[in-house]
Amino acid sequence: MKRIISLSLLVSLALSAFAWSQKGHDTTAAIAERHLTPAARAMVDSIFKGRSMVYWANWLDNASHTPDYAYTKTWHYKNIDDGVRYEEAQANPSGDVVTAVKAQMETLGNPASSAADRELALKILVHIVGDMHQPMHMGHATDLGGNRVKVRFFGRDNNLHAVWDGSILESGHRWSYTEWVDQLDRLSPAEAEAVAGGSVDDWAKQTLDIATRVYDRIAPDTNIMYDEVAEWTPVIEQQLLKGGLRLAHVINGLFDPDYAATHKAPYTPAR
């Protein structure tokens, strides 16, 4: 029994080191799919051989634990310590979520990329654009993005990162990802376009601002309960929506020349 409990704990810690809950990633990918142009959707269908973005939304969380894709482990986050400006944060030599998003965009936008490289880049992009909008993925390096910040959630031991991954989300509304999409994806076209604007770095800075607020508001050993769920559920909802709209914006710009001609790209690689 003790061995089973220990194994369960290890699995839980491993998963909490990465991303939004599975439902969060599914929601972001499904919102993005709703906003793809016909040309972009056709390209995604071709690259994924008919499987949806939702199908691949959580793939990287598991793949990053395998030998073949272990190099992506640091691509889910960008740790920035307290008091350090975004522009001055020390670069991770193994890469981070911001550099990884830009790298996948470069691969997908390069006509010389192989079909296999494009498929892998799109799988990664679908996941890490979502990760970029989870505030604890812009958390402090000293506490591993909140993983070492011990809190309680309705009296049960937990950590700040895990609470943000899924606990608050599930406590706010126990919906399926399709219900989340239906409830969140209600902006006008003009509002949605405004949300999708800006650069990849702008999006990361916005998430960092939320992370800073989280650290200020939730101290170690806090028993997170109804007040915190009420306060932060709307923030999580907005982050899921932003992630979906911005993912669609990136993919439309990469795969639809007409869209790219009328919308500013969030990142333009130097050629």
Side-chain angles (χ1 to χ4, degrees), residues 19-267:
W20 287 122
S21 64
Q22 290 184 342
K23 191 175 293 182
H25 277 290
D26 288 348
T27 300
T28 293
I31 289 172
E33 285 187 323
R34 281 188 171 192
H35 291 269
L36 294 181
T37 67
R41 181 179 296 277
M43 184 63 74
V44 170
D45 286 344
S46 175
I47 292 173
F48 281 162
K49 301 175 181 63
R51 284 181 170 163
S52 73
M53 288 162 55
V54 175
Y55 181 91
W56 294 111
N58 289 282
W59 173 81
L60 192 64
D61 271 344
N62 294 315
S64 290
H65 289 286
T66 68
D68 287 346
Y69 301 104
Y71 64 89
T72 67
K73 281 186 177 179
T74 64
W75 293 11
H76 300 255
Y77 56 87
K78 181 179 177 68
N79 287 150
I80 300 176
D81 278 328
D82 186 30
V84 177
R85 295 178 62 248
Y86 176 86
E87 294 80 5
E88 297 169 352
Q90 186 173 357
N92 188 324
S94 299
D96 58 54
V97 68
V98 177
T99 58
V101 166
K102 294 176 180 178
Q104 308 325 300
M105 291 176 65
E106 290 191 27
T107 298
L108 291 166
N110 186 350
S113 296
S114 69
D117 286 344
R118 288 163 69 82
E119 180 180 357
L120 177 59
L122 188 56
K123 287 178 184 176
I124 294 172
L125 186 71
V126 166
H127 185 84
I128 63 177
V129 169
D131 278 347
M132 183 188 292
H133 289 81
Q134 206 279 52
M136 290 296 96
H137 285 238
M138 301 294 293
H140 301 162
T142 50
D143 58 42
L144 302 182
N147 275 287
R148 289 178 175 167
V149 178
K150 302 303 180 185
V151 296
R152 284 166 290 145
F153 192 75
F154 287 89
R156 302 184 69 173
D157 290 343
N158 212 312
N159 69 73
L160 188 59
H161 190 112
V163 166
W164 269 86
D165 273 348
S167 300
I168 296 176
L169 174 74
E170 293 287 359
S171 294
H173 300 284
R174 184 123 359 221
W175 291 333
S176 67
Y177 82 86
T178 55
E179 290 172 311
W180 275 100
V181 173
D182 287 339
Q183 294 300 321
L184 297 183
D185 189 18
R186 297 183 174 213
L187 298 183
S188 69
E191 290 170 329
E193 186 167 339
V195 168
S199 69
V200 173
D201 289 296
D202 290 335
W203 304 342
K205 290 176 188 176
Q206 291 170 15
T207 304
L208 174 61
D209 288 343
I210 297 173
T212 301
R213 286 165 46 201
V214 172
Y215 279 113
D216 288 344
R217 296 278 294 166
I218 303 179
D221 299 320
T222 295
N223 185 21
I224 296 171
M225 294 181 66
Y226 301 103
D227 288 350
E228 290 78 13
V229 170
E231 177 179 2
W232 295 109
T233 294
V235 177
I236 290 174
E237 292 171 351
Q238 288 301 304
Q239 290 303 101
L240 295 175
L241 178 60
K242 288 177 181 178
L245 295 174
R246 290 166 177 174
L247 177 58
H249 175 55
V250 169
I251 293 173
N252 287 336
L254 289 167
F255 295 155
D256 185 341
D258 291 337
Y259 184 96
T262 57
H263 294 78
K264 185 176 180 180
Y267 169 67

